[in-house]
Amino acid sequence: MANTFRILISTDNHVGYLEDDQIRGKDSFQSFEEVLLLAKQYNVDFILLGGDLFHHSQPSLYCLREVMGLIRQHLFGDKPCEFNICSDQSINFPSRFQRGCNVYDPNLNISIPIFTIHGNHDDPVGQGNLSAMDLLASVGCANYFGRSHDLNDIKVYPILMQKGDTKLALYGLGNVRDERLHHAWRDGSVSFIRPDSSDQDDQERRQSQEWLDHAFNMFVLHQNRVRHGPTSYIPEEFLDEFLDFVLWGHEHDCRIDPEPRDGKDICQPGSSIATSLAEGEALPKHVGLLEITGKDYSLQKIRLSTVRPFQYTAVALSQVDELRSAVGDAKACQRYLYSVVEDLIGRAEREWEEQQEEGENREDRTMPLPLIRIRVDYSGGFDAFNVVVFGKKFVSRVANPRDILKFHRQRTNIAGENATTRRQRQQQILNDPTSSVPERLDNVRVETLVDEILGRNLEVLPENEMQDVVQKLIDKDDKNAVSSFIKQSVLRMKRSIDGDQRSNIDNLSDQYVKRRATELKQDRFDMYAREQTSRNSRRRARQQRDAMDMNDNDNDE
Amino acid sequence: MANTFRILISTDNHVGYLEDDQIRGKDSFQSFEEVLLLAKQYNVDFILLGGDLFHHSQPSLYCLREVMGLIRQHLFGDKPCEFNICSDQSINFPSRFQRGCNVYDPNLNISIPIFTIHGNHDDPVGQGNLSAMDLLASVGCANYFGRSHDLNDIKVYPILMQKGDTKLALYGLGNVRDERLHHAWRDGSVSFIRPDSSDQDDQERRQSQEWLDHAFNMFVLHQNRVRHGPTSYIPEEFLDEFLDFVLWGHEHDCRIDPEPRDGKDICQPGSSIATSLAEGEALPKHVGLLEITGKDYSLQKIRLSTVRPFQYTAVALSQVDELRSAVGDAKACQRYLYSVVEDLIGRAEREWEEQQEEGENREDRTMPLPLIRIRVDYSGGFDAFNVVVFGKKFVSRVANPRDILKFHRQRTNIAGENATTRRQRQQQILNDPTSSVPERLDNVRVETLVDEILGRNLEVLPENEMQDVVQKLIDKDDKNAVSSFIKQSVLRMKRSIDGDQRSNIDNLSDQYVKRRATELKQDRFDMYAREQTSRNSRRRARQQRDAMDMNDNDNDE
C-alpha cells in the first residue's frame, strides 16, 4: 500500500436539500455522513468531491454546523498523512486563512483531508464573492481548489502529490456557466499547466520530465455532460489527451463505472441524494474507492445504504390493456395507478434490502418511506385528475404523496412547432394580461424574459451576462448580483477606453447606469424576479396546476 | 502568575455591522482583530465576550469566514492551557459537536480559548434554533455557554475553573427578552446553581464548601441596564448577593471602570464599534484586562486604537449668540453649523492621536474619516433644511456625510400628552389612509401594531409572545418565526389539557390555528411587516423625512 493512493470519490452531496422538510429533511445529512464514515472505514488517503457539497450557496447556520461538525467528528484525528504535496500550495489553495493543505497545519490533527471544487449550487456569491468552500477552507475543514478568476484565460494548475513511487497530478475546475466555458474551451482559453522542463537547471528539468512521463493525470470538473443546447455542455472531446482519469460532477445519474474515451476514462459517480424525481435519480447511488498505483488504477464502487429508496416508472394509459375500454373512466384509471404504486412500493422495499446487503456500512436501519414517481401519459382521450387527492391514500406509506403522479400529454400542435413559433407563443403568453404572473412564468424561460424586458438598447451591459445575473438573482437569492454586475460592466468598459476620453465617458456612463438601474427596478423586471422567487407564487402556481389537472368528473374519495 | 487568572474582557463587537458599506465596511472586523491581538499580546488565559459578537443572527459567508479565520489565525497555537475546568463540561457547553471546552480537544491546538454567551443580535433562530455561537462551537472556535432552554425555570450553572490556588466560578446568561427575564427574575424563576455540600460524602462536601468559601464569583449577562420601560430592563438589585463581579453586555456606552453595588462590582465595557450615532457611542472605546487572584481582582482598561473616531455634540440654535438675529436665515444657520463640523473634525483628529498614543497595539495607522453627529434643536422659529445637501461639503472628510445633522424640535403639545392620548394619536396615524405606510410605521411601536392588528380574540396565542415573534420577524428576517411560534403555542396548550378532551381540542385548535394563520397572512399584518423590513421602504421613508426637513427657502448649493 506504500505506493498506492486510496481515494474516496463522491459528488453532488447537496447537503441542506429540503432541510426544512419534516420527512426528507435529514436525508442529505445522513448520506453525507455515510460518505465520511466510508472514508474512515476504508482508511483512504483523502476524499475527493466533485462539487455541490452544499445545496444552497449560502447554507443555513444549521447546515453549516452539521457539515463542519461531522467533518470534525469523523475526519479529524491522529492518522498520519502518507503522501506529500510538491506543487506550490499557495497557488493550489489560495484561501485567505489557509494557504496550504490542512494536513500541514500544525494546529489541526487531520486524519483524512477533503479536496473539493465548487459546483453550480455552492459557487461564489455575495460580499467578497465567496463560496461556502471558502468557509470550509478557512476553518481547515476542506481544501478548496480549482477556482478560476479570469474566464478569458483559464489556467488549471495541478496539485502534485506523491505517495511512495506513485505520482498523482490532480487538476480541478470549479463550475463555470456551461456556455461560457464551452466558448472559452473552444477558443483555446483553457489550458492545463504541466510541469515545465524548460528554464530549469538539470535536476529540476529531470524532475519535471519524470512528472510528465510518470504521473497519473486526473481531472475533476462540474459541468453539463449531457447536451442541453448547442453550447450549454462540455463535449467529452474537449478534454485534454494527456489526462488518464476524469471525475465528472454535476450529473446526478450514477454512471460510476469508468467509460473509456480516447485513452482516458470518464467516471460519473452521480449525486448521493435525489434532488428531483427524474428517472436518472432512481439509479442505485454509489461512491467509489479509487486506488492508483503508478499509471494504473482500479475503481471499486460502493453502494450507499442510507439513501431513501426511489422508484420511477412511466405509464401510457392508452397502452394499458385493461384500460382499453376505460377512456373517460377516471375511477378505472385511478384503480390501475393505485396498483402501479403498490407495485413500486414493493420494489422499493426490495431495493432497500438490496442496498442494505450491498452497502458496506451495515447498521440495523428501518426503511424510510420511499419516493415514488409515475410519469403518466394520458394522451388518447384520457383525463388527468387531481394528483394531491390521489396521493392521500399513500400519506403514511410514501415520502412524496402530493406528487406521485406527473401527467403529460403529447401535444401534436405544439410538438411540431419550430423555434420561431415557440418564441411567438411565449411572447403571446407574456403579453396576455389576463393570465396570472406565475402561470406566465411557468411557460417561459428566464432567457426569454430577459430578452423581452432588456433586449433593447443594451449598449453597456452585455446581454448574455445579464441573463446569468438574473438567473443568479433567482436561483441564489443573491440580492447584490445585479448591482455588482453593473459596476463590473462599467469598470470593464472604462478600462477598454483610453485616457482622454475617459472622464467624459465616466459621467456619461454613470448617468446611463443610473437611468438604466432605475428603469430596471421600476420595470416589470423587479416584479417578475420577485414573483418567481417568492414561495407564495410557487405555491399558487402549484395550486393552479393541480386545479388544471383536476378532472371535472373527478369523483375520487 | 501561577495563581492569577488573566482574562481579556470585551463585548458587543457587532462583527458584520455595515459590512457592505464602502467606507465603514471593515471597521467591525478591524476592531475584532485588535481584540484578538491584545489577548495575544497580554498572554491571557482566555477571552470572555459579553454577547453580540455578530451583528446579524445569520451572518454572511464573508463575515463567518473572517471571524473564524481570524480566530484560527491568532488564537490557535501551542501556548499551554494553565487552568483546569472542574465542573461538568457537558452541562456547561452542550453543543452538538463539542461537549467540552475546546482546549481539551486533542485534535485542536488552542492557545487562547474564547468563552462567550449570545446577545440579542446573535441569538438562536431558524432551523434547529441555532445561534451563530453554536457554529463557532461546532468548529472549536469558541466555547458557548449560558443558554437557557426553559424560561419558566432558568438555572444558571457555573463553569468552575481553577488556576493554582485561585478558584473562579463563571456564570453566564445569554440574552432573553428583557420583559420576560424581568418577570422570571422577579418571580424567583432564575436560580444560580452553587456547589452543593449536602448529599455528598465527606471529601466532596469539603471540596464544595471550599468552592463556596473561596471562589471568585463572576457573572456575564446581555440585557438592558438602562430602564426603557417598567419591566424592559434588569435592575441591578436583582443580581445575587454572592456575586463578586458582573460583566454587563448589551449597553454600548463604555463604563468599564467597575462600579460597586451592594458588595459586587459592575463592569460595562461597552461596544467595540459604534452602531448608532448616539452620544454614548462617542465615549472612548475600551476592552479590559481582568486579573483575579484569590478573591481579589484588578482591572486595567485598554483603549482600542483601531476604532473610527466619532464626535458628537448637541446645538440649540436659539441659544447661539451669533444666530440671535438670524431666525429664518437658513444660510446663516448653515454657516454656523459648518463651523461646528469643522470644530468636531479637529476634535476627532486629536481623539485619533490620543487613542494611538493610549492604545497598546501601536502601528502606523492613517486616520480614517471620522463620524460626526450634531443634534440640532431648531425650536424657536428656525427652519430645518436638507441634511443631505448640507453634508455634500464634507464628502471626502467625514464618513457619514449624509446624516451629520439630526434635527429635532420641542413639540410642547406632544411632549405634554399622556399615555392615553399618545395611544389615540398613534391609532389615528395608523387609521389615516392618506399617510404612506413607512411614515405611519415611523410613528408607532411594533407593540402598538400588534395590539391593533391582533389584539382581539387572541385565545390560543399569548399576546405578549406574539409581540416577540413579530419583533423577531422584523429584526432577524426569520421567516419561520411565526409558524414555529404557532406550533409551539398549540403544543403547549395541548399539553396543559388532559387526555379525553384532547382529541376534540386537537381538531378545534387545528382549525382555529389554520383560520388565524390565514387571517394573519391576509390581514394587514403581512403588509406592515414586509414594508417595515424591506430596504426600499426604509429608503423611501428616509427620502420623505429629508424632503420634510428641507426648507422651502433653501438656497444651498
Side-chain angles (χ1 to χ4, degrees):
Chain A
M1 298 301 295
N3 297 318
T4 301
F5 274 101
R6 287 167 76 88
I7 307 165
L8 193 98
I9 56 175
S10 175
T11 185
D12 293 81
N13 310 102
H14 284 268
V15 181
Y17 175 67
L18 286 188
E19 65 180 3
D20 295 333
D21 189 283
Q22 294 249 328
I23 297 174
R24 299 160 70 184
K26 299 269 174 286
D27 290 10
S28 64
F29 299 98
Q30 279 169 358
S31 293
F32 177 66
E33 185 169 17
E34 185 180 2
V35 172
L36 304 187
L37 289 170
L38 286 169
K40 221 155 100 168
Q41 183 181 337
Y42 281 99
N43 195 29
V44 298
D45 291 303
F46 62 87
I47 296 174
L48 177 62
L49 299 179
D52 283 358
L53 166 53
F54 291 100
H55 187 69
H56 302 287
S57 56
Q58 312 215 29
S60 69
L61 281 179
Y62 175 77
C63 182
L64 288 171
R65 200 238 350 211
E66 290 297 305
V67 166
M68 293 177 171
L70 287 170
I71 290 175
R72 184 173 169 210
Q73 181 177 344
H74 297 307
L75 305 187
F76 280 39
D78 284 332
K79 173 180 174 311
C81 172
E82 296 176 54
F83 60 90
N84 291 320
I85 296 183
C86 30
S87 49
D88 182 342
Q89 295 181 48
S90 67
I91 293 178
N92 292 145
F93 316 109
S95 295
R96 170 150 145 69
F97 290 103
Q98 178 175 297
R99 300 214 149 247
C101 178
N102 61 353
V103 291
Y104 297 123
D105 186 318
N107 295 323
L108 299 177
N109 269 354
I110 307 290
S111 278
I112 300 174
I114 291 177
F115 293 87
T116 184
I117 58 172
H118 68 255
N120 56 318
H121 276 258
D122 45 18
D123 65 337
V125 289
Q127 168 79 336
N129 206 18
L130 294 183
S131 160
M133 300 301 107
D134 281 298
L135 186 59
L136 292 188
S138 79
V139 293
C141 282
N143 301 290
Y144 172 32
F145 72 116
R147 176 164 177 194
S148 179
H149 287 271
D150 181 0
L151 295 182
N152 296 316
D153 181 18
I154 298 178
K155 287 194 160 51
V156 189
Y157 289 91
I159 308 172
L160 302 180
M161 300 172 165
Q162 185 149 5
K163 184 176 178 186
D165 295 338
T166 299
K167 293 178 169 61
L168 172 62
L170 176 59
Y171 294 84
L173 181 59
N175 178 264
V176 175
R177 195 172 70 98
D178 285 295
E179 288 82 351
R180 205 183 291 181
L181 184 59
H182 187 109
H183 287 295
W185 217 313
R186 212 184 45 195
D187 300 347
S189 310
V190 177
S191 45
F192 285 71
I193 308 301
R194 306 198 63 192
D196 184 6
S197 51
S198 64
D199 277 340
Q200 293 178 323
D201 65 28
D202 271 3
Q203 199 196 343
E204 280 175 343
R205 196 177 303 133
R206 223 173 24 250
Q207 279 177 353
S208 298
Q209 196 57 45
E210 230 179 274
W211 270 95
L212 282 170
D213 294 344
H214 299 292
F216 187 85
N217 295 298
M218 191 168 164
F219 177 46
V220 51
L221 79 169
H222 188 101
Q223 301 291 151
N224 280 340
R225 186 176 176 194
V226 174
R227 193 177 188 279
H228 289 270
T231 60
S232 57
Y233 74 115
I234 302 302
E236 293 167 0
E237 299 75 45
F238 278 7
L239 298 168
D240 271 50
E241 282 188 3
F242 79 96
L243 294 171
D244 299 300
F245 186 92
V246 174
L247 175 63
W248 204 304
H250 185 58
E251 301 285 356
H252 283 207
D253 306 17
C254 177
R255 285 165 61 183
I256 196 168
D257 291 313
E259 301 168 13
R261 296 281 189 282
D262 300 331
K264 61 190 139 310
D265 290 348
I266 300 181
C267 168
Q268 176 182 308
S271 70
S272 60
I273 182 171
T275 61
S276 74
L277 300 182
E279 187 168 12
E281 294 267 26
L283 297 169
K285 305 244 174 242
H286 292 84
V287 296
L289 178 68
L290 178 66
E291 294 191 302
I292 302 170
T293 314
K295 289 283 278 180
D296 299 322
Y297 80 91
S298 69
L299 182 75
Q300 175 187 340
K301 59 183 187 178
I302 305 170
R303 183 139 182 204
L304 291 174
S305 38
T306 54
V307 177
R308 183 181 294 277
F310 169 36
Q311 286 292 333
Y312 173 101
T313 195
V315 165
L317 295 181
S318 61
Q319 305 297 311
V320 178
D321 277 348
E322 57 187 278
L323 295 179
R324 277 280 153 81
S325 54
V327 174
D329 181 353
K331 282 213 156 189
C333 295
Q334 282 170 25
R335 265 197 311 274
Y336 172 72
L337 291 169
Y338 284 146
S339 73
V340 178
V341 176
E342 291 292 351
D343 179 50
L344 291 176
I345 293 177
R347 280 203 254 165
E349 281 161 4
R350 288 192 293 283
E351 182 191 2
W352 177 256
E353 276 168 37
E354 197 181 286
Q355 84 186 24
Q356 297 314 302
E357 278 164 28
E358 278 187 30
E360 295 285 335
N361 191 351
R362 288 191 202 174
E363 277 178 43
D364 212 10
R365 290 194 193 83
T366 330
M367 172 174 158
L369 298 182
L371 294 164
I372 301 290
R373 165 57 55 89
I374 308 173
R375 189 172 148 86
V376 183
D377 179 351
Y378 67 113
S379 319
F382 290 88
D383 291 310
F385 45 82
N386 187 314
V387 298
V388 177
V389 175
F390 175 86
K392 279 194 178 162
K393 203 176 159 75
F394 300 101
V395 163
S396 58
R397 299 178 59 209
V398 166
N400 61 322
R402 295 180 61 87
D403 61 356
I404 295 176
L405 303 183
K406 184 93 178 174
F407 283 106
H408 74 113
R409 189 158 50 173
Q410 319 254 337
R411 299 186 200 175
T412 43
N413 58 330
I414 287 183
E417 74 185 349
N418 62 21
T420 317
T421 54
R422 187 183 313 121
R423 209 186 146 89
Q424 282 169 353
R425 184 172 54 79
Q426 291 185 341
Q427 199 61 46
Q428 279 172 358
I429 295 170
L430 267 180
N431 292 336
D432 175 7
T434 63
S435 69
S436 75
V437 172
E439 190 182 324
R440 278 183 280 170
L441 288 172
D442 279 352
N443 287 293
V444 289
R445 298 176 63 219
V446 162
E447 287 80 353
T448 316
L449 273 179
V450 174
D451 266 11
E452 203 268 338
I453 301 167
L454 306 175
R456 1 153 224 200
N457 309 326
L458 278 191
E459 294 134 13
V460 180
L461 310 177
E463 189 183 337
N464 56 343
E465 296 183 23
M466 189 71 207
Q467 286 177 4
D468 272 11
V469 168
V470 174
Q471 194 75 54
K472 213 165 178 179
L473 176 74
I474 293 170
D475 292 351
K476 319 271 166 177
D477 211 11
D478 179 359
K479 284 158 198 133
N480 297 321
V482 174
S483 63
S484 72
F485 161 65
I486 291 179
K487 271 185 218 148
Q488 281 170 18
S489 301
V490 174
L491 204 67
R492 197 161 47 196
M493 200 192 66
K494 280 185 192 167
R495 280 205 201 104
S496 70
I497 295 168
D498 279 320
D500 270 6
Q501 296 180 301
R502 215 187 265 180
S503 61
N504 286 330
I505 294 288
D506 268 11
N507 290 329
L508 266 179
S509 67
D510 274 8
Q511 283 165 20
Y512 182 86
V513 166
K514 267 184 205 154
R515 182 162 55 83
R516 190 87 331 278
T518 317
E519 281 176 28
L520 279 177
K521 232 176 258 152
Q522 295 180 351
D523 217 359
R524 278 174 290 176
F525 168 87
D526 224 0
M527 181 184 76
Y528 285 132
R530 223 188 282 142
E531 280 287 341
Q532 185 153 5
T533 44
S534 94
R535 289 188 192 171
N536 286 335
S537 72
R538 282 198 218 117
R539 199 185 320 125
R540 256 179 280 139
R542 203 161 54 226
Q543 285 163 355
Q544 280 172 1
R545 271 202 306 279
D546 290 346
M548 279 161 54
D549 286 349
M550 194 169 355
N551 184 347
D552 287 339
N553 300 325
D554 179 15
N555 297 317
D556 199 280
E557 56 232 77
Chain B
M1 297 304 292
N3 297 317
T4 301
F5 273 101
R6 288 167 76 88
I7 307 166
L8 193 99
I9 57 175
S10 174
T11 185
D12 292 82
N13 310 102
H14 284 269
V15 181
Y17 175 67
L18 287 188
E19 65 180 4
D20 295 333
D21 188 282
Q22 293 250 329
I23 297 175
R24 299 160 70 183
K26 298 269 174 286
D27 290 10
S28 64
F29 299 98
Q30 278 168 359
S31 293
F32 177 65
E33 185 169 17
E34 186 182 2
V35 172
L36 304 187
L37 288 170
L38 285 169
K40 222 157 97 169
Q41 182 182 335
Y42 281 98
N43 195 29
V44 298
D45 291 304
F46 61 87
I47 296 175
L48 178 62
L49 299 179
D52 283 358
L53 166 54
F54 290 101
H55 186 70
H56 301 286
S57 56
Q58 311 214 31
S60 69
L61 281 179
Y62 175 77
C63 182
L64 288 171
R65 196 227 9 198
E66 290 296 305
V67 167
M68 294 178 171
L70 288 171
I71 290 175
R72 184 173 169 209
Q73 182 178 341
H74 297 306
L75 306 187
F76 280 40
D78 283 333
K79 173 179 173 313
C81 172
E82 296 176 53
F83 60 91
N84 290 320
I85 295 182
C86 31
S87 50
D88 182 342
Q89 295 182 47
S90 66
I91 293 176
N92 293 144
F93 315 109
S95 296
R96 171 150 145 68
F97 290 103
Q98 178 176 295
R99 302 214 147 246
C101 178
N102 60 354
V103 291
Y104 298 123
D105 186 318
N107 296 323
L108 300 177
N109 270 353
I110 308 290
S111 278
I112 300 175
I114 291 177
F115 293 87
T116 184
I117 59 172
H118 68 256
N120 57 317
H121 276 258
D122 46 18
D123 66 336
V125 289
Q127 168 81 337
N129 206 18
L130 294 184
S131 161
M133 301 300 108
D134 281 298
L135 187 58
L136 292 188
S138 78
V139 294
C141 283
N143 301 290
Y144 173 31
F145 72 116
R147 177 166 177 192
S148 179
H149 286 272
D150 181 359
L151 295 183
N152 296 316
D153 181 17
I154 298 179
K155 286 193 160 52
V156 189
Y157 289 91
I159 308 171
L160 301 179
M161 300 171 166
Q162 186 150 6
K163 185 177 179 186
D165 295 339
T166 299
K167 293 178 169 61
L168 172 63
L170 176 59
Y171 294 85
L173 181 59
N175 178 263
V176 175
R177 194 171 70 98
D178 285 295
E179 288 82 352
R180 206 184 290 181
L181 184 59
H182 187 109
H183 287 295
W185 217 312
R186 212 183 45 194
D187 300 347
S189 309
V190 177
S191 45
F192 285 71
I193 308 302
R194 306 199 61 194
D196 184 6
S197 51
S198 63
D199 277 343
Q200 294 178 324
D201 66 28
D202 272 2
Q203 199 196 342
E204 281 175 344
R205 195 176 306 133
R206 223 175 22 252
Q207 280 177 354
S208 298
Q209 196 56 44
E210 229 179 276
W211 270 94
L212 282 170
D213 294 343
H214 299 291
F216 186 86
N217 294 298
M218 190 168 165
F219 177 45
V220 51
L221 79 170
H222 188 101
Q223 301 290 151
N224 281 340
R225 186 178 176 194
V226 174
R227 192 177 188 277
H228 289 270
T231 60
S232 57
Y233 75 115
I234 302 302
E236 293 168 359
E237 298 76 45
F238 279 8
L239 299 167
D240 272 49
E241 283 188 2
F242 79 96
L243 294 171
D244 299 300
F245 187 92
V246 175
L247 174 63
W248 204 304
H250 185 57
E251 301 286 355
H252 282 207
D253 306 16
C254 177
R255 285 166 62 183
I256 197 169
D257 291 314
E259 301 168 12
R261 296 280 189 282
D262 301 329
K264 58 189 138 320
D265 290 347
I266 300 182
C267 167
Q268 175 183 308
S271 69
S272 60
I273 181 170
T275 61
S276 74
L277 300 183
E279 187 167 13
E281 294 268 27
L283 297 170
K285 306 246 175 237
H286 292 85
V287 295
L289 178 67
L290 178 67
E291 294 192 303
I292 303 170
T293 314
K295 288 284 276 181
D296 299 322
Y297 81 91
S298 69
L299 182 75
Q300 175 188 340
K301 58 183 190 178
I302 304 170
R303 181 136 182 206
L304 293 174
S305 39
T306 53
V307 177
R308 182 181 296 276
F310 168 35
Q311 286 293 333
Y312 174 99
T313 196
V315 165
L317 295 182
S318 61
Q319 305 296 312
V320 178
D321 277 347
E322 56 186 278
L323 295 179
R324 277 279 153 81
S325 54
V327 173
D329 181 354
K331 281 213 155 186
C333 296
Q334 282 170 25
R335 266 197 311 274
Y336 172 72
L337 291 169
Y338 283 148
S339 72
V340 178
V341 176
E342 291 292 351
D343 179 49
L344 291 177
I345 293 176
R347 279 202 254 165
E349 281 161 4
R350 288 191 294 282
E351 182 191 1
W352 177 257
E353 275 169 36
E354 197 181 286
Q355 84 185 24
Q356 296 316 301
E357 278 163 27
E358 279 187 29
E360 295 285 336
N361 192 352
R362 290 194 199 171
E363 279 177 41
D364 212 11
R365 290 195 192 84
T366 329
M367 172 173 156
L369 297 182
L371 293 165
I372 301 290
R373 165 56 57 88
I374 308 175
R375 187 170 149 87
V376 183
D377 178 351
Y378 66 113
S379 319
F382 290 89
D383 291 310
F385 45 82
N386 188 314
V387 299
V388 177
V389 174
F390 175 87
K392 279 194 178 162
K393 203 175 157 73
F394 300 101
V395 163
S396 58
R397 301 179 57 210
V398 166
N400 61 321
R402 294 180 61 88
D403 60 357
I404 296 177
L405 302 183
K406 183 93 177 174
F407 282 106
H408 75 112
R409 188 158 49 172
Q410 320 255 336
R411 299 185 201 176
T412 42
N413 58 329
I414 287 184
E417 74 184 348
N418 63 21
T420 319
T421 54
R422 187 184 313 121
R423 210 187 146 90
Q424 281 169 354
R425 184 172 55 79
Q426 291 184 341
Q427 200 62 47
Q428 278 172 358
I429 294 170
L430 267 180
N431 292 335
D432 175 9
T434 63
S435 69
S436 75
V437 172
E439 190 182 324
R440 278 182 280 171
L441 289 173
D442 278 351
N443 287 293
V444 288
R445 300 178 60 220
V446 162
E447 288 80 353
T448 318
L449 273 179
V450 173
D451 266 11
E452 204 270 338
I453 302 167
L454 305 177
R456 0 154 224 203
N457 309 327
L458 279 191
E459 294 133 13
V460 180
L461 310 178
E463 190 185 334
N464 56 344
E465 296 184 23
M466 189 71 208
Q467 287 176 3
D468 272 12
V469 168
V470 174
Q471 195 75 53
K472 211 163 177 180
L473 176 73
I474 292 169
D475 292 350
K476 320 270 164 173
D477 210 11
D478 179 0
K479 283 158 199 131
N480 298 322
V482 175
S483 64
S484 72
F485 161 66
I486 292 180
K487 271 184 219 148
Q488 280 169 16
S489 301
V490 174
L491 203 66
R492 197 161 47 195
M493 201 192 64
K494 280 184 193 167
R495 279 203 203 108
S496 70
I497 296 168
D498 281 320
D500 270 8
Q501 296 178 300
R502 215 187 265 180
S503 62
N504 286 329
I505 295 288
D506 269 12
N507 290 328
L508 267 178
S509 66
D510 274 9
Q511 284 165 20
Y512 181 87
V513 166
K514 267 183 204 155
R515 181 162 55 82
R516 188 106 294 302
T518 315
E519 281 176 28
L520 279 178
K521 233 176 256 149
Q522 296 180 350
D523 216 359
R524 278 173 292 175
F525 167 86
D526 224 0
M527 183 185 76
Y528 287 131
R530 224 190 280 142
E531 280 288 340
Q532 185 152 5
T533 43
S534 95
R535 289 187 191 174
N536 286 336
S537 72
R538 281 196 219 121
R539 199 184 320 125
R540 257 178 280 139
R542 203 162 52 226
Q543 285 163 355
Q544 279 171 2
R545 271 203 306 278
D546 290 348
M548 278 160 53
D549 286 348
M550 192 164 0
N551 184 347
D552 288 336
N553 301 325
D554 180 13
N555 297 318
D556 199 281
E557 57 233 76

